Amino acid sequence: MVFNDIVIIVKKEISKVKNLKDLNILRVKYLGKKGYITKKFMLIKNFSKKERINKSFIYNKQKEEIKNIIIKRKKEIEIEQYNNNKFLNQSIDVSLPGKYIPPGTEHPITSIIYEIEKFFQNIGFKIITGPEIEDVYHNFDALNISKYHPTRTEQDTFWLDKNVLLRTQTSNVQIRIMKHNKPPIKILTSGKVYRHDYDSSHTPMFHQVEGLFIDKNVTFIDLKSILILFLNFFFGKKYKIRFRPSYFPFTEPSLEIDIFNNKKKWIEILGAGIVSSYVLKNIGINHNKYCGFAFGLGIERLAMLRYNIDDIRLFYENDIRFLKQFRFNKFL
Ligand code: PHE
């Protein structure tokens, strides 16, 4: 018999062994005191010295291999038995009702973003997204924000390194879209923006929605009409609105809209204006042929006015009692 034959036989036999008792019988058969290997060793004395050395080398190797095969199978059987027994002692009453897991609700900020997107989609705006991690060019330079503007300082902007920051406004998307598209451009984008600020009306992260419309003959009247239409849709003429001249480096002329809240205070909710010819020129759009407007809305401000919330931080504390109040936003 050659060296491997016995190992092959053991392997074959062991594959049919299904429990530890039979495995032990097999072990005794091959490795026991009166087993196959012991018997082989006993016969060795009849051979010459050279052959004895040779044979004992082979038998020892066989013994080792058989031992390993048995150990491996033992582990397999133990795992099989564990898996089979796991559920044996548990009785399952399949008629019991399941546990009720109440459905969550859409976050009010998310709902409002969807609502605004739908409104603008209906009047032809395309919804797009942009990056929150941005470079200086798209967040500041291309928007004509001067090198020395205070918003660039570390007190206002979260810098990731010399050239990379968390965007401070969604206006970065204006630049990205104008760079790669020819007018007419009619887009709406929304998302998180970041500024160093924290009090009852500011959080370091908040949401903006930004619109951009570039075409031939777009006027300031178009901008005003669309914004009035939108605010009437959103608030249902509940609040007094005020247009106020303003300044942004990337729009000229610029305006801001305030809303007169229940506490008789004017609250700023958006900035807008005609996209500056300087920005268009820089990005490679012919400003003699095309013009347009842009606007940026603060979502939290809109939500606070609509739901009479006077501390912006409530949106981000994840207090279930607060969030539950917006259940109606979901399909319940
Ligand atoms: N990006 C401006 C802000 O964050 C808002 C704005 C957007 C103003 C578009 C004009 C045009 O305050």
Side-chain angles (χ1 to χ4, degrees):
M1 190 181 274
V2 287
F3 162 71
N4 259 332
D5 283 0
I6 186 65
V7 175
I8 290 167
I9 290 169
V10 174
K11 269 189 185 166
K12 245 190 195 156
E13 266 182 52
I14 212 164
S15 68
K16 290 184 197 122
V17 170
K18 294 274 178 273
N19 56 53
L20 294 177
K21 199 172 140 222
D22 292 348
L23 188 68
N24 198 41
I25 293 171
L26 187 135
R27 187 188 61 80
V28 171
K29 179 174 165 193
Y30 289 99
L31 304 179
K33 267 188 207 154
K34 292 176 189 164
Y36 172 88
I37 295 287
T38 319
K39 273 187 190 151
K40 283 280 179 194
F41 270 116
M42 269 150 66
L43 294 174
I44 257 179
K45 55 180 182 289
N46 305 329
F47 293 95
S48 69
K49 192 179 172 195
K50 198 175 156 211
E51 270 198 88
R52 283 209 301 266
I53 293 173
N54 216 353
K55 283 195 186 299
S56 65
F57 175 77
I58 291 178
Y59 299 154
N60 272 324
K61 271 220 108 163
Q62 289 175 336
K63 192 175 162 187
E64 196 58 31
E65 287 249 352
I66 294 171
K67 223 163 134 186
N68 287 339
I69 295 168
I70 292 175
I71 290 171
K72 191 170 156 240
R73 184 69 190 132
K74 186 168 177 244
K75 277 187 192 147
E76 284 170 5
I77 292 174
E78 279 169 352
I79 290 171
E80 274 167 28
Q81 285 188 342
Y82 171 77
N83 285 338
N84 290 342
N85 291 339
K86 214 164 35 176
F87 300 110
L88 227 57
N89 300 329
Q90 298 177 13
S91 56
I92 296 169
D93 181 353
V94 290
S95 67
L96 278 175
K99 267 192 198 142
Y100 177 71
I101 301 170
T105 54
E106 210 164 64
H107 194 279
I109 298 298
T110 310
S111 311
I112 287 180
I113 289 176
Y114 287 157
E115 199 181 321
I116 296 173
E117 283 183 348
K118 215 162 170 191
F119 173 87
F120 281 98
Q121 251 175 329
N122 283 341
I123 54 171
F125 283 75
K126 205 173 140 212
I127 309 299
I128 61 157
T129 54
E132 287 171 33
I133 295 175
E134 189 52 285
D135 56 35
V136 184
Y137 173 76
H138 292 92
N139 195 83
F140 291 131
D141 294 346
L143 287 162
N144 195 28
I145 297 172
S146 105
K147 287 246 172 318
Y148 308 103
H149 197 287
T151 67
R152 294 203 188 209
T153 64
E154 273 181 35
Q155 279 88 39
D156 278 311
T157 300
F158 291 102
W159 289 91
L160 301 181
D161 77 23
K162 226 170 61 234
N163 188 40
V164 185
L165 47 92
L166 296 181
R167 67 173 173 190
T168 59
Q169 49 186 347
T170 40
S171 302
N172 65 327
V173 184
Q174 285 186 37
I175 302 302
R176 290 195 169 269
I177 201 83
M178 285 194 285
K179 215 162 74 176
H180 299 295
N181 295 275
K182 294 258 153 300
I185 293 169
K186 204 174 179 188
I187 58 101
L188 189 91
T189 186
S190 61
K192 296 180 169 65
V193 299
Y194 302 84
R195 292 177 198 176
H196 269 294
D197 248 335
Y198 191 64
D199 60 35
S200 64
S201 51
H202 297 90
T203 44
M205 182 282 296
F206 60 102
H207 294 77
Q208 286 188 333
V209 165
E210 183 106 2
L212 175 71
F213 182 21
I214 309 280
D215 204 347
K216 289 172 188 157
N217 307 321
V218 178
T219 67
F220 201 74
I221 296 175
D222 295 322
L223 170 61
K224 270 189 90 171
S225 333
I226 282 187
L227 292 178
I228 291 172
L229 212 63
F230 166 69
L231 291 172
N232 286 345
F233 153 81
F234 191 81
F235 289 116
K237 296 195 178 164
K238 194 167 137 198
Y239 293 111
K240 247 201 292 188
I241 299 170
R242 166 171 93 176
F243 281 75
R244 181 164 47 78
S246 184
Y247 171 78
F248 296 102
F250 40 95
T251 51
E252 177 62 40
S254 305
L255 67 88
E256 278 178 300
I257 296 185
D258 302 329
I259 278 190
F260 200 55
N261 75 0
N262 290 348
K263 295 200 173 107
K264 308 211 176 319
K265 262 178 81 178
W266 287 105
I267 306 290
E268 176 204 321
I269 55 154
L270 74 81
I274 297 296
V275 178
S276 140
S277 57
Y278 186 87
V279 172
L280 294 179
K281 226 181 330 183
N282 264 350
I283 210 82
I285 291 180
N286 182 349
H287 68 285
N288 293 318
K289 199 165 157 198
Y290 294 107
C291 58
F293 63 72
F295 59 87
L297 282 147
I299 305 295
E300 280 80 354
R301 293 274 169 92
L302 292 189
M304 287 165 82
L305 282 159
R306 182 191 260 184
Y307 301 126
N308 273 326
I309 295 164
D310 50 21
D311 192 331
I312 191 174
R313 293 170 292 202
L314 284 166
F315 288 115
Y316 301 112
E317 281 167 358
N318 279 339
D319 184 332
I320 205 94
R321 291 165 304 178
F322 173 77
L323 295 171
K324 247 187 184 166
Q325 300 175 79
F326 304 97
R327 254 204 178 168
F328 54 85
N329 287 329
K330 206 57 194 159
F331 328 94
L332 300 174

